[in-house]
Amino acid sequence: MHYVSHSDPQSSHQQILRLVRQLQARGPVLDVGAAQGMLGQALRGSGATIDAVEPHPRWAEHARPFYRQVFASGIEDAPLAAETYEVVVCADVLEHTADPLAALRKLRAAARPGAMFIISLPNVAHLSARLLLLSGRWPQMER
């Protein structure tokens, strides 16, 4: 399975990229759930220092060239230094953690005071997802 970035300007991927660029973050950015490194690729040449957390081993290896460092583990096991990150991006990843609150607490400890968190979650209230849920199937789709 290969994670694909969405090019629609209204997609969460593009909105997150715009936000990170608008913040002009020079301090470290943490991309949680980096997949194959789309955010790192998109920010290449921006001057931003970017680290990543990616639990899928092959995706972590694919992402490695686009980040200063890649923690090939889940958030819970990533050795994140305290008060390091100016921006923390969690794009559609918190719903995959066993304990999202514990994950956020760990990320908060790794963030600098006043850090910006950019978080997106899937829209399970969308009609297409609701219809699948009503029929007893959990939706797994591109959108």
Side-chain angles (χ1 to χ4, degrees), residues 6 16 20 23 32 35-36 47 51 53 56 60 69 77-78 84 96 101 108 125 133-135 137:
H6 301 289
I16 289 166
V20 173
L23 292 170
V32 180
Q36 295 92 8
D51 292 341
V53 175
H56 190 286
Q69 59 185 335
D77 299 320
T84 301
H96 297 287
L101 186 55
R108 181 62 192 112
L133 290 171
L134 283 171
S135 69
R137 297 189 335 236

Side-chain angles (χ1 to χ4, degrees), residues 8-137:
D8 176 347
Q10 296 306 313
S11 73
S12 60
H13 296 147
Q14 295 305 313
Q15 291 182 50
I16 289 166
L17 179 57
R18 271 195 309 277
L19 279 171
V20 173
R21 284 183 173 149
Q22 286 172 0
L23 292 170
Q24 297 178 342
R26 297 289 178 227
V29 173
L30 181 62
D31 183 7
V32 180
Q36 295 92 8
M38 279 102 44
L39 184 63
Q41 289 179 52
L43 293 173
R44 187 178 246 178
S46 71
T49 300
I50 313 167
D51 292 341
V53 175
E54 175 50 55
H56 190 286
R58 282 186 293 178
W59 291 3
E61 281 308 309
H62 190 272
R64 204 166 295 283
F66 309 110
Y67 296 91
R68 175 178 67 174
Q69 59 185 335
V70 174
F71 303 106
S73 69
I75 299 165
E76 303 83 359
D77 299 320
L80 302 173
E83 296 188 6
T84 301
Y85 298 101
E86 184 177 312
V87 177
V88 177
V89 177
C90 296
D92 297 349
V93 297
L94 291 174
E95 70 276 9
H96 297 287
T97 63
D99 186 347
L101 186 55
L104 283 170
R105 284 186 181 126
K106 178 160 185 168
L107 293 171
R108 181 62 192 112
R112 292 180 177 170
M116 174 70 70
F117 278 70
I118 301 172
I119 298 172
S120 67
L121 297 168
N123 182 4
V124 295
H126 190 274
L127 180 61
S128 62
R130 285 182 179 199
L131 291 172
L132 287 169
L133 290 171
L134 283 171
S135 69
R137 297 189 335 236

